[in-house]
Amino acid sequence: MSDTDLLKGLIGCLDLTNLNDDCDSAAIAALCAKAQTPHGNVAAVCIYPRFVAEAKDHLSGTGIKVVTVVNFPDGGEDTVAVEAATRQALADGADEIDLVMAYKALAEGRPGFAETQIVRIKRICGDTLLKVILETGELQDAETIRKAADVALAAGADFLKTSTGKVATNATLDAAEILLTAIAETDKTIGFKPAGGIKTSSDAIAYFDVAKRIRGDAAPNPALFRLGASSVLDAMIASIEGREETKGAGY
């Protein structure tokens, strides 16, 4: 597969994201328009819960999913509040939920709390896709990242996601390797989503290459692989069209 064809496939795996503090209705409209490209639609837009209903209206008939975040970005321990936010997001029409694991509890030696919170949110989600954000850059060491992955998988995560994009260190290829290895060692069909700091076509391809090497992914498949980013889409389109990439700012 040529890099051009691969990038077209990866556009279809992109969760195009706006989780900026100043996001407003105009920005959501622009994001939803941008999500529909001449080279195919992205998989989803990822936005704050308060914009879910608006995004659903903008994307009606496109096949593009609406993803929202809960327990974001802190990965807190008020599970009742997270449950309420999840129920509201689903009522508003969210197609997928990205939950920040209570990663600080896990790092402090309380993995049971983190696991129970995920179990409770998955129970509310039912068949709705649940991606669990591990915040790997804050967990730092490989052993703790692997522990977080195993906890999330045991609790029913449908996807493992690296990062919120709100901390100093977000997605890394080393973290990707750990998460994908954990997934590969299960007998479940679990997706993987690197997020935060993915800026160039080369970045996008590098993460897919790790998934291909470890899991044998033959081609980009949004059921198994997503990219969480706000700025990489422009770079991917530029590369597909033979133009120079400009490294954008943002998630």
Side-chain angles (χ1 to χ4, degrees), residues 28-40:
I28 292 298
L31 186 78
C32 291
K34 185 176 182 179
Q36 303 166 67
T37 90
H39 305 288

Side-chain angles (χ1 to χ4, degrees), residues 214-233:
I214 293 175
R215 293 195 306 196
D217 292 10
N221 177 358
L224 288 174
F225 183 81
R226 298 285 181 89
L227 293 162
S230 61
S231 62
V232 75
L233 179 59

Side-chain angles (χ1 to χ4, degrees), residues 160-174:
L160 298 184
K161 177 178 173 181
T162 59
S163 323
T164 62
K166 298 291 188 180
V167 295
T169 301
N170 291 290
T172 67
L173 292 172
D174 287 344

Side-chain angles (χ1 to χ4, degrees), residues 43-215:
V45 297
C46 184
I47 55 177
Y48 282 118
R50 63 185 179 274
F51 297 116
V52 166
E54 291 179 46
K56 290 289 287 188
D57 286 343
H58 288 303
L59 295 172
S60 178
T62 66
I64 298 170
K65 306 291 187 183
V66 175
V67 182
T68 197
V69 291
V70 296
N71 210 24
F72 186 93
D74 296 331
E77 299 187 21
D78 188 347
T79 302
V80 172
V82 182
E83 288 176 318
T86 303
R87 290 190 184 97
Q88 186 61 58
L90 295 174
D92 288 343
D95 298 300
E96 301 174 5
I97 299 293
D98 283 17
L99 163 72
V100 183
M101 170 188 270
Y103 64 90
K104 295 171 190 172
L106 181 138
E108 293 166 0
R110 294 183 289 127
F113 180 91
E115 182 172 353
T116 297
Q117 187 181 78
I118 297 168
V119 168
R120 288 171 63 170
I121 301 308
K122 181 56 184 174
R123 188 176 299 130
I124 293 168
C125 287
D127 293 334
T128 299
L129 199 71
L130 178 64
K131 306 192 202 83
V132 177
I133 304 170
L134 307 186
E135 203 66 290
T136 54
E138 294 293 281
L139 297 177
Q140 298 182 347
D141 69 272
E143 183 178 351
T144 307
I145 292 170
R146 177 58 194 254
K147 177 65 174 178
D150 289 341
V151 165
L153 291 168
D158 299 306
F159 257 75
L160 298 184
K161 177 178 173 181
T162 59
S163 323
T164 62
K166 298 291 188 180
V167 295
T169 301
N170 291 290
T172 67
L173 292 172
D174 287 344
E177 180 125 5
I178 295 167
L179 270 54
L180 283 159
T181 299
I183 291 168
E185 290 176 1
T186 74
D187 58 358
K188 302 174 184 177
T189 302
I190 305 294
F192 169 65
K193 177 180 173 180
I198 301 169
K199 308 290 189 184
T200 68
S201 295
S202 295
D203 292 338
I205 290 171
Y207 283 104
F208 178 72
D209 282 347
V210 176
K212 184 176 181 179
R213 173 169 54 81
I214 293 175
R215 293 195 306 196

